[in-house]
Amino acid sequence: MTTDAHAGFDPAAVLEQIDAATEHLVHTAARFTDADVRAPSLLPDWSRGHVLTHLARNADGGRRLLTWARTGVQALEYPSLTARDEEIENGAGRSADVLVADLRDSAAVPHQRCSAGAGDPRRGELTPRMADGAYLGP
């Protein structure tokens, strides 16, 4: 007996949930002052600015993975884990307004890509990899 791993999957419903969570995140972050984003987060050695930068860069990485899955053209989540860490560290010290604008802008792009259309007919056969080499998918 085989099961369809995608049975009951509703992409539109998932995008609605992502939109709602993203809206909540951006709304919360928009209340932060510059002092707030410099304050420690619950993550060791990371400020809230580090977390917001990480979320924005992760959205960019997700967009690259979605593009890879949609087109079949390899696009890694990050060039390397070192580059990922450097981007987060370099972005963490920005002002609250700049961090929130970056978060908002980066969050909009993956959704646009998801909604853009079917893409490569082989997309079910494509298995993008994360920056650490782990494969996405079943």
Side-chain angles (χ1 to χ4, degrees):
M1 178 172 140
T2 61
T3 60
D4 183 359
H6 302 290
F9 177 69
D10 182 357
V14 171
L15 286 174
E16 285 179 22
Q17 292 172 342
I18 291 169
D19 285 346
T22 300
E23 183 178 324
H24 181 73
L25 171 66
V26 172
H27 178 75
T28 299
R31 295 186 303 218
F32 288 162
T33 65
D34 288 344
D36 291 334
V37 298
R38 307 254 181 295
S41 74
L42 296 177
L43 297 172
D45 302 319
W46 271 23
S47 67
R48 290 174 178 162
H50 285 90
V51 174
L52 294 175
T53 300
H54 166 65
L55 292 170
R57 297 296 69 79
N58 187 258
D60 293 343
R63 182 195 77 246
R64 287 187 288 271
L65 292 174
L66 288 170
T67 299
W68 182 357
R70 192 172 40 92
T71 66
V73 176
Q74 183 175 352
L76 298 176
E77 181 182 27
Y78 302 103
S80 69
L81 292 177
T82 299
R84 170 199 170 270
D85 293 345
E86 288 172 356
E87 286 184 351
I88 293 168
E89 193 59 42
N90 292 337
R94 297 174 295 167
S95 72
D97 289 343
V98 172
L99 285 163
V100 171
D102 182 28
L103 182 65
R104 184 180 290 115
D105 292 346
S106 66
V109 175
H111 181 272
Q112 292 165 357
R113 295 282 190 230
C114 285
S115 304
D120 190 321
R122 301 173 302 123
R123 69 186 180 281
E125 303 167 18
L126 304 173
T127 309
R129 284 182 293 139
M130 302 291 282
D132 65 1
Y135 282 93
L136 296 175

